[in-house]
Amino acid sequence: MTGTGSLLSHLECRSCCTRVEADRAAGVCPTCGLALFAVYRLDDLDWGSWSASLRDRPRTLWRYRELLPVRGSEAIASLGEGGSPVLPLTAAPEAPDVRLLLKDDGGLPTGSFKARGMTVAVSRARELGLRSLFVPSAGNAGVALAAYAARAGINATVYLPERTPRPMKEAARLYGATVVELPGTLREVGASARSREGAGGSFDMSTLREPYRLEGKKTMGWEIFEQLAAEGMPDAIVYPTGGGTGLVGMHKAFQELRSLGRLERMPRLYAVQPEHCAPVVRALHEDAARVTPWDDPSTIAPGLLVPAPFSSERILEAVRESKGGGVTVTDAEIVGAVRDLARRDGVSASPEGAATYASLRALVRDGRVRSGERVLLYNTGSGLPFSITELESAVAASAAA
Ligand SMILES: Cc1ncc(COP(=O)(O)O)c(C=O)c1O
Ligand SMILES: [Zn+2]
């Protein structure tokens, strides 16, 4: 075996501090049922020689392999993911004095940031001997699981809401996954998937219910640091929030950088959600410890239709510790932002990613983003699977209803 040099030590629950051995497949905390986090022996990392060695490594997220959980290179199932660009945007009329950057994950394999989590989680699953994986997904995570499972030679089953965009359903099938379409939102689909799979031996790869997708997502924060720290980290990062792993992952990266003595001040993290499915934003405004499920949710952005995110304690903690907050946008604003990003900046954004651009008006109006600040918007996926005409008709139909 060629070792990766992974410094993975163990898994730990941040709610009840239970420690779990890392070299056996693990899902949630055996004591309290919340998310487990990978812990690394950061003291063993010699920053000087490590950061020098990063310069010669390929620009995939596996460049951070010492701080990822996979121990043997042979287990790695990679499609060249990571290393996405940070693009400067033209000044937006909605926020003329704000310096805008956009981290664009639309060009990643399988078309979204979900590739980050799945390359790491599927590789680790292979290393731990798992042969069959399943995931309930709004679309992108299912496509990514299907692709990486194909790459790793592992069986995958993907549970999708019936209303998932067709190109995503077809892509998951094309990669050889079993695709099961079910009624409802991710909440109902997730519950049904888990009860169907039961103790059948297939491993649950749902957001935050297994510990290693988060490790892949944390590379969003590591890349932002590597790309921007020399000129100064952004003041704020605006992120489209569904299951919340992106926020929790970036926060974990910034915590690791802080422990390593490399980061003094974290960027403020802002969670953007659609007005009719905003459980995280509501919990932030109400100062609640956890999210309560959102009744009758709806939005045109499939990845943000998550009415009851799991382990929401961790999402709220990430936003609060960074001194950020929550903001909502309407579906009409999201579609307008898809158009604006395309015309003004040549960027193909998913509705989820465009939601960050749509939130600028409110962030500036409420004084949460100030003149002269540098703000990084996270585009989590490509706009290509979406028809702008269909998105506009969906907005018109819901306005008429
Ligand atoms: C394109 C896109 N953006 C954002 C999200 C939400 O991601 P997170 O779980 O990190 O909040 C999803 C989830 O499905 C997605 O597909
Ligand atoms: Zn626990």
Side-chain angles (χ1 to χ4, degrees):
M1 169 179 119
T2 316
T4 56
S6 171
L7 297 171
L8 179 65
S9 162
H10 59 276
L11 302 171
E12 194 169 85
C13 173
R14 291 190 173 178
S15 276
C16 73
C17 301
T18 296
R19 269 175 84 123
V20 174
E21 206 250 290
D23 287 305
R24 244 180 294 141
V28 296
C29 170
T31 310
C32 76
L34 292 179
L36 288 172
F37 284 67
V39 180
Y40 297 83
R41 298 188 313 275
L42 295 179
D43 290 346
D44 293 352
L45 192 79
D46 172 11
W47 180 267
S49 61
W50 187 65
S51 53
S53 72
L54 286 187
R55 280 182 223 129
D56 301 324
R57 294 184 183 181
R59 301 232 145 248
T60 79
L61 60 76
W62 291 100
R63 60 201 275 98
Y64 308 114
R65 58 185 181 247
E66 287 82 355
L67 301 179
L68 292 174
V70 177
R71 300 199 192 275
S73 307
E74 294 80 0
I76 294 176
S78 173
L79 295 162
E81 54 293 313
S84 63
V86 173
L87 308 169
L89 298 184
T90 51
E94 299 80 11
D97 303 320
V98 176
R99 290 186 288 160
L100 294 176
L101 300 167
L102 181 121
K103 173 102 170 135
D104 192 2
D105 272 8
L108 259 51
T110 73
S112 84
F113 77 126
K114 299 280 181 186
R116 295 180 183 273
M118 286 302 181
T119 184
V120 174
V122 170
S123 300
R124 185 68 175 146
R126 169 150 78 170
E127 181 157 69
L128 296 177
L130 299 173
R131 300 299 315 145
S132 182
L133 310 172
F134 75 92
V135 77
S137 158
N140 284 320
V143 178
L145 174 65
Y148 286 96
R151 190 89 181 154
I154 293 179
N155 289 324
T157 305
V158 175
Y159 291 88
L160 298 174
E162 285 161 349
R163 280 177 296 169
T164 305
R166 205 172 69 182
M168 295 182 185
K169 294 179 187 169
E170 290 189 359
R173 284 200 180 93
L174 185 65
Y175 288 122
T178 303
V179 174
V180 183
E181 296 179 42
L182 295 170
T185 70
L186 196 56
R187 187 175 181 205
E188 292 78 32
V189 171
S192 172
R194 278 183 277 280
S195 84
R196 281 167 183 237
E197 293 287 343
S202 188
F203 193 80
D204 187 353
M205 300 288 273
S206 302
T207 301
L208 294 177
R209 289 181 199 262
E210 73 75 51
Y212 299 122
R213 279 176 69 190
L214 183 67
E215 293 306 292
K217 295 279 186 76
K218 103 184 162 188
T219 63
M220 299 193 290
W222 273 94
E223 284 183 15
I224 291 169
F225 175 78
E226 226 193 327
Q227 290 168 308
L228 295 177
E231 61 183 87
M233 287 291 274
D235 297 291
I237 296 176
V238 187
Y239 184 82
T241 304
T245 25
L247 285 172
V248 179
M250 284 190 284
H251 179 248
K252 185 169 192 282
F254 298 146
Q255 283 178 318
E256 288 172 355
L257 280 158
R258 224 162 34 186
S259 302
L260 289 162
R262 311 315 302 180
L263 185 70
E264 274 173 31
R265 191 176 48 85
M266 266 191 209
R268 307 191 305 273
L269 298 172
Y270 289 99
V272 182
Q273 296 198 299
E275 62 168 350
H276 295 308
C277 186
V280 171
V281 177
R282 180 173 66 189
L284 286 166
H285 288 168
E286 290 175 352
D287 226 2
R290 65 187 64 82
V291 158
T292 46
W294 191 274
D295 291 330
D296 203 15
S298 74
T299 173
I300 52 151
L304 306 187
L305 195 59
V306 185
F310 179 66
S311 275
S312 60
E313 289 84 344
R314 301 288 87 81
I315 307 171
L316 300 171
E317 198 172 84
V319 172
R320 285 177 181 139
E321 264 188 45
S322 74
K323 306 201 176 358
V327 57
T328 60
V329 290
T330 66
D331 277 355
E333 287 169 330
I334 292 177
V335 177
V338 170
R339 276 197 180 285
D340 288 341
L341 275 169
R343 297 250 173 116
R344 294 176 186 166
D345 291 287
V347 168
S348 163
S350 59
E352 295 86 352
T356 63
Y357 196 73
S359 75
L360 284 170
R361 190 191 299 275
L363 287 173
V364 169
R365 183 195 58 212
D366 301 344
R368 291 190 283 171
V369 165
R370 291 176 292 276
S371 283
E373 285 198 318
R374 286 163 73 241
V375 174
L376 183 139
L377 310 177
Y378 213 110
N379 179 32
T380 41
S382 166
L384 292 180
F386 296 89
S387 148
I388 188 78
T389 344
E390 281 173 23
L391 290 176
E392 278 174 347
S393 321
V395 169
S398 69

